[in-house]
Amino acid sequence: MRGSLRIRHQASCPASASGRTKDPRACRCSPSVQGRVAGVARTLGHLQRGWLAADLIAFEHRLADLRGLVLEGRPPPPARVIMLAEFAGPWFERIAAQVEMGRMSPPTYNKYEGEWRLYIGPAFGRLPLAAIDQAQIVRSCGPAWPRA
């Protein structure tokens, strides 16, 4: 189980064309580098604009660390902890777009937004996504939640 590095270019980059992903001469962006080992994928970082093939060596070391964690059965740490409030903002933007396209009714959006503003946001908004489980919900809201 070796794993693999994947370079992800921006859509406007000439190197994003099929078959040119590892060609630094064609790259005009600062691509992200992803590591994959046995179904576990993590973004390992970004290459600098004007990168060279030798710059991938540092990412090979990070891939080896990821492979070691997977082989030991330990979950790799997340790249960044995301709070529920950070996740909810873009989510509400996406469902607002659904309302504008007519795929969701405005009262449904209003209900979701109201539940977030009155109940969910104050109780869970500052918590990391991974920390929210059934036990946390019961501790914060009591056994009667969710309400009917």
Side-chain angles (χ1 to χ4, degrees):
M1 168 180 11
R2 184 184 177 294
S4 65
L5 286 179
R6 300 195 181 202
I7 300 173
R8 300 290 183 214
H9 297 274
Q10 296 174 1
S12 62
C13 182
S16 64
S18 179
R20 298 192 73 178
T21 58
K22 289 194 177 181
D23 185 3
R25 295 168 297 179
C27 181
R28 302 287 179 257
C29 70
S30 177
S32 66
V33 179
Q34 296 176 344
R36 300 186 117 208
V37 177
V40 175
R42 288 288 187 270
T43 298
L44 302 176
H46 288 10
L47 289 166
Q48 296 295 323
R49 186 172 282 175
W51 59 279
L52 303 172
D55 295 335
L56 293 173
I57 294 171
F59 295 102
E60 288 285 349
H61 294 296
R62 292 182 193 166
L63 178 66
D65 294 339
L66 178 65
R67 183 175 43 248
L69 288 174
V70 169
L71 288 173
E72 291 172 8
R74 296 186 310 167
R80 184 173 84 81
V81 175
I82 297 175
M83 304 301 175
L84 181 60
E86 291 177 66
F87 178 81
W91 184 78
F92 274 110
E93 290 173 12
R94 286 194 305 273
I95 64 170
Q98 297 295 317
V99 172
E100 290 176 12
M101 290 188 291
R103 294 182 180 170
M104 179 183 284
S105 70
T108 301
Y109 175 83
N110 291 340
K111 178 168 175 42
Y112 290 171
E113 192 276 330
E115 294 286 329
W116 166 258
R117 186 172 28 85
L118 296 174
Y119 305 107
I120 301 169
F124 303 107
R126 293 184 180 180
L127 292 176
L129 285 175
I132 302 170
D133 58 2
Q134 182 181 6
Q136 180 66 37
I137 293 169
V138 170
R139 278 194 302 273
S140 296
C141 303
W145 198 77
R147 317 175 295 300

